[in-house]
PDB file of all heavy atoms in Angstrom:
ATOM      1  N   ALA A1085      49.228  57.556 109.087  1.00 72.00           N
ATOM      2  CA  ALA A1085      49.192  57.892 110.518  1.00 72.00           C
ATOM      3  C   ALA A1085      48.429  56.821 111.290  1.00 72.00           C
ATOM      4  O   ALA A1085      48.840  56.425 112.391  1.00 72.00           O
ATOM      5  CB  ALA A1085      48.557  59.263 110.718  1.00 72.00           C
ATOM      6  N   ILE A1115      73.831  71.174 100.372  1.00 92.00           N
ATOM      7  CA  ILE A1115      74.836  72.095 100.917  1.00 92.00           C
ATOM      8  C   ILE A1115      75.677  72.684  99.786  1.00 92.00           C
ATOM      9  O   ILE A1115      75.949  73.895  99.752  1.00 92.00           O
ATOM     10  CB  ILE A1115      75.721  71.382 101.953  1.00 92.00           C
ATOM     11  CG1 ILE A1115      74.915  71.092 103.222  1.00 92.00           C
ATOM     12  CG2 ILE A1115      76.947  72.229 102.291  1.00 92.00           C
ATOM     13  CD1 ILE A1115      75.670  70.280 104.254  1.00 92.00           C
ATOM     14  N   LEU A1117      74.837  73.061  96.607  1.00 91.00           N
ATOM     15  CA  LEU A1117      74.023  74.004  95.845  1.00 91.00           C
ATOM     16  C   LEU A1117      73.841  75.323  96.587  1.00 91.00           C
ATOM     17  O   LEU A1117      73.920  76.410  95.997  1.00 91.00           O
ATOM     18  CB  LEU A1117      72.651  73.379  95.556  1.00 91.00           C
ATOM     19  CG  LEU A1117      72.593  72.269  94.508  1.00 91.00           C
ATOM     20  CD1 LEU A1117      71.201  71.672  94.460  1.00 91.00           C
ATOM     21  CD2 LEU A1117      72.981  72.808  93.142  1.00 91.00           C
ATOM     22  N   ALA A1125      75.429  85.059  94.760  1.00 92.00           N
ATOM     23  CA  ALA A1125      74.779  86.256  95.299  1.00 92.00           C
ATOM     24  C   ALA A1125      75.793  87.174  95.965  1.00 92.00           C
ATOM     25  O   ALA A1125      75.708  88.408  95.858  1.00 92.00           O
ATOM     26  CB  ALA A1125      73.688  85.853  96.294  1.00 92.00           C
ATOM     27  N   VAL A1127      79.019  87.510  95.213  1.00 93.00           N
ATOM     28  CA  VAL A1127      79.818  88.192  94.187  1.00 93.00           C
ATOM     29  C   VAL A1127      79.057  89.385  93.622  1.00 93.00           C
ATOM     30  O   VAL A1127      79.611  90.475  93.447  1.00 93.00           O
ATOM     31  CB  VAL A1127      80.201  87.200  93.065  1.00 93.00           C
ATOM     32  CG1 VAL A1127      80.793  87.940  91.869  1.00 93.00           C
ATOM     33  CG2 VAL A1127      81.200  86.172  93.578  1.00 93.00           C
ATOM     34  N   VAL A1135      80.949  99.831  94.530  1.00 85.00           N
ATOM     35  CA  VAL A1135      80.502 101.098  93.958  1.00 85.00           C
ATOM     36  C   VAL A1135      79.832 101.964  95.032  1.00 85.00           C
ATOM     37  O   VAL A1135      80.104 103.165  95.143  1.00 85.00           O
ATOM     38  CB  VAL A1135      79.536 100.859  92.784  1.00 85.00           C
ATOM     39  CG1 VAL A1135      79.047 102.187  92.216  1.00 85.00           C
ATOM     40  CG2 VAL A1135      80.220 100.037  91.699  1.00 85.00           C
ATOM     41  N   ASN A1137      79.419 102.120  98.955  1.00 82.00           N
ATOM     42  CA  ASN A1137      79.969 101.593 100.203  1.00 82.00           C
ATOM     43  C   ASN A1137      78.953 101.726 101.338  1.00 82.00           C
ATOM     44  O   ASN A1137      79.125 102.511 102.280  1.00 82.00           O
ATOM     45  CB  ASN A1137      81.271 102.324 100.550  1.00 82.00           C
ATOM     46  CG  ASN A1137      81.995 101.647 101.698  1.00 82.00           C
ATOM     47  OD1 ASN A1137      81.759 100.474 101.997  1.00 82.00           O
ATOM     48  ND2 ASN A1137      82.881 102.394 102.358  1.00 82.00           N
ATOM     49  N   ALA A1163      63.587  69.775  95.348  1.00 73.00           N
ATOM     50  CA  ALA A1163      62.513  68.834  95.662  1.00 73.00           C
ATOM     51  C   ALA A1163      61.844  68.326  94.399  1.00 73.00           C
ATOM     52  O   ALA A1163      61.516  67.137  94.285  1.00 73.00           O
ATOM     53  CB  ALA A1163      61.477  69.500  96.575  1.00 73.00           C
ATOM     54  N   LEU A1171      59.116  59.717  93.287  1.00 79.00           N
ATOM     55  CA  LEU A1171      57.786  59.146  93.468  1.00 79.00           C
ATOM     56  C   LEU A1171      57.221  58.609  92.164  1.00 79.00           C
ATOM     57  O   LEU A1171      56.665  57.498  92.119  1.00 79.00           O
ATOM     58  CB  LEU A1171      56.839  60.202  94.049  1.00 79.00           C
ATOM     59  CG  LEU A1171      56.940  60.482  95.546  1.00 79.00           C
ATOM     60  CD1 LEU A1171      55.905  61.514  95.948  1.00 79.00           C
ATOM     61  CD2 LEU A1171      56.744  59.204  96.354  1.00 79.00           C
ATOM     62  N   SER A1179      53.812  49.738  89.720  1.00 73.00           N
ATOM     63  CA  SER A1179      52.649  49.440  88.878  1.00 73.00           C
ATOM     64  C   SER A1179      53.007  48.432  87.784  1.00 73.00           C
ATOM     65  O   SER A1179      52.231  47.521  87.493  1.00 73.00           O
ATOM     66  CB  SER A1179      52.117  50.735  88.264  1.00 73.00           C
ATOM     67  OG  SER A1179      51.063  50.473  87.361  1.00 73.00           O
ATOM     68  N   VAL A1184      51.211  46.961  93.091  1.00 68.00           N
ATOM     69  CA  VAL A1184      50.037  47.704  93.551  1.00 68.00           C
ATOM     70  C   VAL A1184      48.796  46.810  93.514  1.00 68.00           C
ATOM     71  O   VAL A1184      47.992  46.790  94.453  1.00 68.00           O
ATOM     72  CB  VAL A1184      49.827  48.963  92.694  1.00 68.00           C
ATOM     73  CG1 VAL A1184      48.574  49.707  93.141  1.00 68.00           C
ATOM     74  CG2 VAL A1184      51.048  49.877  92.776  1.00 68.00           C
ATOM     75  N   GLN A1242      77.269  90.309 111.778  1.00 90.00           N
ATOM     76  CA  GLN A1242      76.481  91.254 112.562  1.00 90.00           C
ATOM     77  C   GLN A1242      75.316  91.820 111.759  1.00 90.00           C
ATOM     78  O   GLN A1242      74.234  92.059 112.307  1.00 90.00           O
ATOM     79  CB  GLN A1242      77.369  92.395 113.057  1.00 90.00           C
ATOM     80  CG  GLN A1242      78.319  92.001 114.178  1.00 90.00           C
ATOM     81  CD  GLN A1242      79.241  93.136 114.580  1.00 90.00           C
ATOM     82  OE1 GLN A1242      79.270  94.192 113.930  1.00 90.00           O
ATOM     83  NE2 GLN A1242      80.006  92.942 115.647  1.00 90.00           N
ATOM     84  N   GLY A1271      54.388  64.352  91.874  1.00 84.00           N
ATOM     85  CA  GLY A1271      54.951  63.015  91.772  1.00 84.00           C
ATOM     86  C   GLY A1271      53.917  61.928  91.987  1.00 84.00           C
ATOM     87  O   GLY A1271      53.897  60.924  91.276  1.00 84.00           O
ATOM     88  N   ALA A1281      54.718  49.708  79.930  1.00 77.00           N
ATOM     89  CA  ALA A1281      56.021  49.342  79.377  1.00 77.00           C
ATOM     90  C   ALA A1281      57.106  50.039  80.183  1.00 77.00           C
ATOM     91  O   ALA A1281      56.884  51.122  80.732  1.00 77.00           O
ATOM     92  CB  ALA A1281      56.120  49.740  77.904  1.00 77.00           C
ATOM     93  N   ALA A1292      57.021  64.415  85.451  1.00 84.00           N
ATOM     94  CA  ALA A1292      56.905  64.859  86.836  1.00 84.00           C
ATOM     95  C   ALA A1292      57.874  66.001  87.125  1.00 84.00           C
ATOM     96  O   ALA A1292      57.529  66.968  87.817  1.00 84.00           O
ATOM     97  CB  ALA A1292      57.168  63.691  87.789  1.00 84.00           C
TER      98      ALA A1292
END
Side-chain angles (χ1 to χ4, degrees):
I1115 290 175
L1117 287 174
V1127 169
V1135 179
N1137 190 20
L1171 281 182
S1179 175
V1184 178
Q1242 287 176 353

